Amino acid sequence: EQFTYKSGIVVKRLQQEGDTVLIYGKDLEGVPISPIKVSKVILASGAPSSTRIMLSTMGLVNKKVTLKSSDQYYLPLFTISGSSSIDYEQKHTMCQSYWVLQNPDVHKYLVHFSVYTHNDLYEKAIKSICGPSYNYIKALAKIPLSRLHFMFCYLHSDDSGWLVSHLENDTNQTFKIEGIKNPRSKNIFLKARKVLQKASFSTGLFPVPFYSGEKLPGAGNHFGGSLPMQHKPINLQTDILGRVPGLERVHVVDSSVFPSITATTVTLSVMANAHRIASNINS
């Protein structure tokens, strides 16, 4: 009863006037809508979109802002024995387990792994590569498929690549993002892979040798830190309630406000921080 959901609106910018915040946007056809008047705004559009909205709100065209990112690597693994039920077992594409590596010889921060067992996407990927010829090798392909697992490796943002973003000075204020690689990142991943290789006979998972699985900066979708929280914020920094200076009625609550991005999954941390900020606003 306390909520009104407004769909079909793309928020472009905000404007604070005294005790009121005006929300400016367009409909899905690109036609400007009448400003929506509210007393406060909680902004949770995801780090890239929240950054874009705040840059537009503050009129910062061509101002370069860094989005911190957690680098992601793919690592295929095989088991010695295969599963005989891959044809008929009900499966999903979700992660089956999380592993965390805490080893100062590899990295001063945690290295995070998400382990995925067999799912139908593996076979679909091979079909797309092989085309019609897959029908002739289908029986043979099931031997490696029944043993194939995937591991996604994530690193802390301090040693990962980053994303440089800015608003273009054009009619639509296009939001440009450029990925920058960190030369330290891959070496950390290779060290982590060595640890996994040494533990293979204990875990039963054997990493594919000579495969780095390197992804582009930001590919892991764990990013933020463009509006980092500080006790005494300046410019595009936020206070502990997610407010940039001069916009006391606008609270950013997504990963934009994190000072850094950990290797571990960020969803629960974002939810906890958003709950903390909203609770303080309410009180």
Side-chain angles (χ1 to χ4, degrees):
E1 295 178 357
Q2 299 180 32
F3 288 86
T4 300
Y5 181 73
K6 295 183 178 292
S7 62
I9 297 174
V10 179
V11 175
K12 304 300 289 186
R13 65 183 180 90
L14 310 169
Q15 181 179 333
Q16 183 172 310
E17 293 183 352
D19 294 338
T20 302
V21 181
L22 301 176
I23 303 173
Y24 289 87
K26 297 181 178 181
D27 63 20
L28 299 183
E29 303 297 325
V31 179
I33 63 168
S34 298
I36 302 171
K37 294 183 179 181
V38 297
S39 60
K40 291 183 180 179
V41 167
I42 295 177
L43 185 58
S45 300
S49 293
S50 291
T51 303
R52 175 190 62 77
I53 291 170
M54 293 304 293
L55 286 174
S56 181
T57 297
M58 301 175 74
L60 297 177
V61 177
N62 290 327
K63 166 74 173 178
K64 291 189 176 181
V65 179
T66 298
L67 282 159
K68 294 185 178 182
S69 174
S70 170
D71 272 352
Q72 182 193 63
Y73 292 84
Y74 284 1
L75 184 60
L77 311 102
F78 284 95
T79 57
I80 295 176
S81 59
S83 171
S84 59
S85 61
I86 63 172
D87 283 333
Y88 57 85
E89 179 185 334
Q90 289 186 332
K91 299 178 286 291
H92 57 72
T93 59
M94 300 298 288
C95 174
Q96 295 284 350
S97 66
Y98 290 136
W99 296 5
V100 176
L101 175 63
Q102 186 174 16
N103 186 331
D105 293 331
V106 174
H107 197 16
K108 61 181 178 180
Y109 298 109
L110 298 176
V111 179
H112 180 75
F113 302 97
S114 300
V115 183
Y116 294 79
T117 57
H118 178 271
N119 67 69
D120 296 338
L121 295 178
Y122 298 174
E123 188 172 6
K124 289 179 180 178
I126 294 178
K127 279 183 179 179
S128 66
I129 295 172
C130 298
S133 62
Y134 178 77
N135 293 325
Y136 299 101
I137 62 169
K138 185 175 181 179
L140 190 62
K142 290 203 181 298
I143 297 175
L145 277 175
S146 66
R147 292 165 169 79
L148 178 63
H149 296 64
F150 261 94
M151 183 177 278
F152 293 174
C153 171
Y154 295 92
L155 306 181
H156 192 279
S157 62
D158 279 11
D159 290 293
S160 296
W162 58 92
L163 306 173
V164 178
S165 61
H166 71 276
L167 281 179
E168 292 273 275
N169 191 18
D170 57 13
T171 305
N172 296 320
Q173 288 195 331
T174 305
F175 190 55
K176 290 287 186 73
I177 300 179
E178 178 187 5
I180 309 295
K181 289 186 177 183
N182 189 325
R184 298 191 300 271
S185 174
K186 191 170 183 178
N187 185 49
I188 294 170
F189 167 71
L190 294 176
K191 288 181 179 180
R193 189 177 70 178
K194 276 188 178 180
V195 173
L196 292 174
Q197 287 173 333
K198 290 180 179 179
S200 291
F201 284 99
S202 297
T203 64
L205 295 175
F206 295 83
V208 173
F210 313 115
Y211 181 78
S212 64
E214 188 173 2
K215 307 298 290 183
L216 293 173
N221 294 317
H222 294 176
F223 35 61
S226 52
L227 308 165
M229 289 186 290
Q230 301 289 333
H231 285 293
K232 295 180 179 180
I234 57 174
N235 302 324
L236 280 171
Q237 295 174 343
T238 56
D239 65 10
I240 60 171
L241 294 181
R243 301 172 296 188
V244 298
L247 291 170
E248 290 75 20
R249 291 184 168 271
V250 177
H251 302 261
V252 185
V253 300
D254 54 34
S255 62
S256 305
V257 301
F258 287 175
S260 63
I261 304 299
T262 64
T264 53
T265 55
V266 298
T267 304
L268 290 178
S269 299
V270 172
M271 293 170 66
N273 187 57
H275 184 273
R276 177 188 64 82
I277 293 176
S279 298
N280 277 277
I281 295 171
N282 206 26
S283 61

